[in-house]
Amino acid sequence: MKIRPGLGALALLIATPAAAETHATDTGLSYGPRPAWLISQMDEGDLKTRLQACSGQTPTRSNFSIGHRGAPLMFPEHTVESNVAAASMGAGILECDVTFTKDHELVCRHAQNDLHTTTDILVSDLADTCATAFTPASGDEDATAECRTSDITLAEYRTLSPKMDAADGSAITAEDYQGGIADYRTALYGNGTTIMTHAESIELFRALGAKFTPELKSPVVDMPHEGFSQQDYAQKLIDEYKAAGVPASDVWAQSFNLDDILYWIENEPDFGAQAVYLDDRYEAEDADEGLIDPMDASTFKPTMSELADMGVNYIAPPLWMLVTVQDGEIVPSVYATEAKAAGLNMIAWSLERSGPLNDGGGWYYQSIEDVTDNDGVTYDLVDVLAQDVGVVGIFSDWPATVTYYANCLGLD
């Protein structure tokens, strides 16, 4: 088994000394070519003219720009390198999705059971620890596997090499299964990237001059897990910020589980004040209804005003829930209007996640697909989210896009 040293994130940065020196301040930030290219694709109009007029501006860090798992459009998510890239684009807040290992150590991974698509575990000595072994494609059935952080120790986790999140469903071998990267992403920056624990992410993000938005991921194992309860899990996430001396005002802890949010509000009120409820109402008709399915009590969702009464101050739905199309224009949705009326701060996720916009943009743009016919619509959407919906931040898989807009429009 190949053992990787358990270096702290600052030690890892020594491998890229320019990053450690440059990103601790706001010098040396760069938008790269993407914002200008997106602007060039826009239809003529006042917004395009205004954005073009900012072409000579100096990039500055903005909390409005949030790195979604770093910069995974081109870098393996939740790696040191992905987050260094996001910080270099001016992302003021960076994300570590948090799950736990067999020995209940917190690590950065989008799901507890995604190791088979985000690391090389299936072609490593740890393949036999997977909950579901690799099964090759056969007939109409795709290749499958499932590998969990909760089935390996932290020491074993450290031996894994991250890769772009993908799998080749047609694979006959575990080696072939490592492919399948979407054609709008790349493996160019995948080699030699570095996996992180949650504690290391705190150290790294602080060194990069960024703030923090960890997401407590839902376990796929039954809780309590060997005595480790959901409350223990939620508390340990907060405790790692307290141990690092990070002020609560720099942390926006997220969860899809409302009980986690309410736990933080009650037990860690300073952190709970900025806790972000990731709302999974995914249909327009779910906008502000208490019970989505009258026959299923598990679908209960508090109204916006009820959330506010519970002490929730931040809500984060997917992009398409915040906007709709009216008379051929992108406008705020009923959902957004009601959340704003309740006094909730809104954060949108996730820009540049589901592919190019010249053919509708995919999953994240489903409510505006009728007007999504070129990549320039990215900035039309960002403008409506910022100016009309009034979001306080936008997650992006390539933060330079949002940073450029925030800098141009004077957003913090």
Side-chain angles (χ1 to χ4, degrees), residues 56-70:
Q57 68 186 1
T58 300
T60 58
R61 197 171 307 284
S62 172
N63 291 339
F64 190 77
S65 178
I66 306 171
H68 180 239
R69 316 182 203 175

PDB file of all heavy atoms in Angstrom, residues 56-70:
ATOM      1  N   GLY A  56     -10.480  46.234 -17.423  1.00  0.00           N
ATOM      2  CA  GLY A  56      -9.171  46.606 -16.887  1.00  0.00           C
ATOM      3  C   GLY A  56      -9.099  46.622 -15.377  1.00  0.00           C
ATOM      4  O   GLY A  56      -8.071  47.013 -14.804  1.00  0.00           O
ATOM      5  N   GLN A  57     -10.155  46.173 -14.706  1.00  0.00           N
ATOM      6  CA  GLN A  57     -10.183  46.228 -13.240  1.00  0.00           C
ATOM      7  C   GLN A  57      -9.184  45.247 -12.634  1.00  0.00           C
ATOM      8  O   GLN A  57      -8.818  44.236 -13.243  1.00  0.00           O
ATOM      9  CB  GLN A  57     -11.587  45.939 -12.720  1.00  0.00           C
ATOM     10  CG  GLN A  57     -12.057  44.514 -12.943  1.00  0.00           C
ATOM     11  CD  GLN A  57     -13.516  44.282 -12.545  1.00  0.00           C
ATOM     12  OE1 GLN A  57     -14.209  45.189 -12.112  1.00  0.00           O
ATOM     13  NE2 GLN A  57     -13.996  43.052 -12.682  1.00  0.00           N
ATOM     14  N   THR A  58      -8.762  45.544 -11.422  1.00  0.00           N
ATOM     15  CA  THR A  58      -7.854  44.667 -10.688  1.00  0.00           C
ATOM     16  C   THR A  58      -8.667  43.679  -9.861  1.00  0.00           C
ATOM     17  O   THR A  58      -9.529  44.100  -9.085  1.00  0.00           O
ATOM     18  CB  THR A  58      -6.944  45.477  -9.751  1.00  0.00           C
ATOM     19  OG1 THR A  58      -6.176  46.396 -10.533  1.00  0.00           O
ATOM     20  CG2 THR A  58      -6.013  44.569  -8.962  1.00  0.00           C
ATOM     21  N   PRO A  59      -8.447  42.390 -10.010  1.00  0.00           N
ATOM     22  CA  PRO A  59      -9.224  41.408  -9.236  1.00  0.00           C
ATOM     23  C   PRO A  59      -9.033  41.581  -7.739  1.00  0.00           C
ATOM     24  O   PRO A  59      -7.912  41.805  -7.263  1.00  0.00           O
ATOM     25  CB  PRO A  59      -8.664  40.067  -9.705  1.00  0.00           C
ATOM     26  CG  PRO A  59      -8.015  40.341 -11.022  1.00  0.00           C
ATOM     27  CD  PRO A  59      -7.499  41.736 -10.935  1.00  0.00           C
ATOM     28  N   THR A  60     -10.123  41.491  -7.004  1.00  0.00           N
ATOM     29  CA  THR A  60     -10.075  41.496  -5.544  1.00  0.00           C
ATOM     30  C   THR A  60     -10.966  40.383  -5.018  1.00  0.00           C
ATOM     31  O   THR A  60     -11.919  39.966  -5.671  1.00  0.00           O
ATOM     32  CB  THR A  60     -10.551  42.839  -4.954  1.00  0.00           C
ATOM     33  OG1 THR A  60     -11.887  43.109  -5.398  1.00  0.00           O
ATOM     34  CG2 THR A  60      -9.646  43.980  -5.384  1.00  0.00           C
ATOM     35  N   ARG A  61     -10.639  39.910  -3.837  1.00  0.00           N
ATOM     36  CA  ARG A  61     -11.389  38.819  -3.240  1.00  0.00           C
ATOM     37  C   ARG A  61     -12.797  39.274  -2.870  1.00  0.00           C
ATOM     38  O   ARG A  61     -13.000  40.395  -2.411  1.00  0.00           O
ATOM     39  CB  ARG A  61     -10.655  38.302  -2.000  1.00  0.00           C
ATOM     40  CG  ARG A  61     -11.110  36.934  -1.537  1.00  0.00           C
ATOM     41  CD  ARG A  61     -10.186  36.400  -0.441  1.00  0.00           C
ATOM     42  NE  ARG A  61      -8.799  36.429  -0.862  1.00  0.00           N
ATOM     43  CZ  ARG A  61      -8.243  35.572  -1.715  1.00  0.00           C
ATOM     44  NH1 ARG A  61      -8.976  34.610  -2.246  1.00  0.00           N
ATOM     45  NH2 ARG A  61      -6.965  35.667  -2.033  1.00  0.00           N
ATOM     46  N   SER A  62     -13.788  38.405  -3.070  1.00  0.00           N
ATOM     47  CA  SER A  62     -15.171  38.754  -2.771  1.00  0.00           C
ATOM     48  C   SER A  62     -15.878  37.599  -2.091  1.00  0.00           C
ATOM     49  O   SER A  62     -15.831  36.463  -2.572  1.00  0.00           O
ATOM     50  CB  SER A  62     -15.922  39.124  -4.054  1.00  0.00           C
ATOM     51  OG  SER A  62     -17.308  39.291  -3.803  1.00  0.00           O
ATOM     52  N   ASN A  63     -16.572  37.880  -0.990  1.00  0.00           N
ATOM     53  CA  ASN A  63     -17.368  36.854  -0.323  1.00  0.00           C
ATOM     54  C   ASN A  63     -18.594  36.462  -1.130  1.00  0.00           C
ATOM     55  O   ASN A  63     -19.227  35.443  -0.844  1.00  0.00           O
ATOM     56  CB  ASN A  63     -17.808  37.334   1.062  1.00  0.00           C
ATOM     57  CG  ASN A  63     -16.648  37.439   2.032  1.00  0.00           C
ATOM     58  OD1 ASN A  63     -15.610  36.823   1.842  1.00  0.00           O
ATOM     59  ND2 ASN A  63     -16.821  38.226   3.069  1.00  0.00           N
ATOM     60  N   PHE A  64     -18.954  37.269  -2.131  1.00  0.00           N
ATOM     61  CA  PHE A  64     -20.068  36.929  -3.012  1.00  0.00           C
ATOM     62  C   PHE A  64     -19.710  35.723  -3.881  1.00  0.00           C
ATOM     63  O   PHE A  64     -20.583  35.003  -4.355  1.00  0.00           O
ATOM     64  CB  PHE A  64     -20.412  38.134  -3.894  1.00  0.00           C
ATOM     65  CG  PHE A  64     -21.685  38.004  -4.670  1.00  0.00           C
ATOM     66  CD1 PHE A  64     -22.920  38.177  -4.058  1.00  0.00           C
ATOM     67  CD2 PHE A  64     -21.665  37.708  -6.030  1.00  0.00           C
ATOM     68  CE1 PHE A  64     -24.105  38.050  -4.772  1.00  0.00           C
ATOM     69  CE2 PHE A  64     -22.837  37.574  -6.757  1.00  0.00           C
ATOM     70  CZ  PHE A  64     -24.065  37.751  -6.115  1.00  0.00           C
ATOM     71  N   SER A  65     -18.422  35.502  -4.076  1.00  0.00           N
ATOM     72  CA  SER A  65     -17.911  34.415  -4.912  1.00  0.00           C
ATOM     73  C   SER A  65     -17.489  33.253  -4.028  1.00  0.00           C
ATOM     74  O   SER A  65     -16.544  33.366  -3.239  1.00  0.00           O
ATOM     75  CB  SER A  65     -16.714  34.916  -5.736  1.00  0.00           C
ATOM     76  OG  SER A  65     -16.169  33.886  -6.530  1.00  0.00           O
ATOM     77  N   ILE A  66     -18.206  32.120  -4.169  1.00  0.00           N
ATOM     78  CA  ILE A  66     -17.976  30.964  -3.310  1.00  0.00           C
ATOM     79  C   ILE A  66     -17.483  29.795  -4.154  1.00  0.00           C
ATOM     80  O   ILE A  66     -18.133  29.395  -5.123  1.00  0.00           O
ATOM     81  CB  ILE A  66     -19.274  30.562  -2.577  1.00  0.00           C
ATOM     82  CG1 ILE A  66     -19.869  31.754  -1.823  1.00  0.00           C
ATOM     83  CG2 ILE A  66     -19.003  29.406  -1.616  1.00  0.00           C
ATOM     84  CD1 ILE A  66     -21.246  31.489  -1.257  1.00  0.00           C
ATOM     85  N   GLY A  67     -16.345  29.257  -3.801  1.00  0.00           N
ATOM     86  CA  GLY A  67     -15.808  28.098  -4.504  1.00  0.00           C
ATOM     87  C   GLY A  67     -16.589  26.847  -4.154  1.00  0.00           C
ATOM     88  O   GLY A  67     -16.592  26.428  -2.994  1.00  0.00           O
ATOM     89  N   HIS A  68     -17.262  26.255  -5.137  1.00  0.00           N
ATOM     90  CA  HIS A  68     -18.046  25.047  -4.922  1.00  0.00           C
ATOM     91  C   HIS A  68     -17.136  23.829  -5.007  1.00  0.00           C
ATOM     92  O   HIS A  68     -16.743  23.406  -6.095  1.00  0.00           O
ATOM     93  CB  HIS A  68     -19.160  24.968  -5.976  1.00  0.00           C
ATOM     94  CG  HIS A  68     -20.038  23.770  -5.852  1.00  0.00           C
ATOM     95  ND1 HIS A  68     -20.188  22.846  -6.863  1.00  0.00           N
ATOM     96  CD2 HIS A  68     -20.809  23.333  -4.828  1.00  0.00           C
ATOM     97  CE1 HIS A  68     -21.028  21.902  -6.485  1.00  0.00           C
ATOM     98  NE2 HIS A  68     -21.419  22.170  -5.247  1.00  0.00           N
ATOM     99  N   ARG A  69     -16.735  23.311  -3.867  1.00  0.00           N
ATOM    100  CA  ARG A  69     -15.764  22.199  -3.788  1.00  0.00           C
ATOM    101  C   ARG A  69     -14.415  22.618  -4.383  1.00  0.00           C
ATOM    102  O   ARG A  69     -13.667  21.788  -4.896  1.00  0.00           O
ATOM    103  CB  ARG A  69     -16.284  20.952  -4.483  1.00  0.00           C
ATOM    104  CG  ARG A  69     -17.737  20.612  -4.200  1.00  0.00           C
ATOM    105  CD  ARG A  69     -18.161  19.333  -4.889  1.00  0.00           C
ATOM    106  NE  ARG A  69     -19.612  19.292  -5.077  1.00  0.00           N
ATOM    107  CZ  ARG A  69     -20.263  18.350  -5.730  1.00  0.00           C
ATOM    108  NH1 ARG A  69     -19.592  17.331  -6.258  1.00  0.00           N
ATOM    109  NH2 ARG A  69     -21.573  18.390  -5.869  1.00  0.00           N
ATOM    110  N   GLY A  70     -14.117  23.897  -4.351  1.00  0.00           N
ATOM    111  CA  GLY A  70     -12.901  24.429  -4.958  1.00  0.00           C
ATOM    112  C   GLY A  70     -13.214  24.993  -6.320  1.00  0.00           C
ATOM    113  O   GLY A  70     -14.023  25.901  -6.477  1.00  0.00           O
TER     114      GLY A  70
END
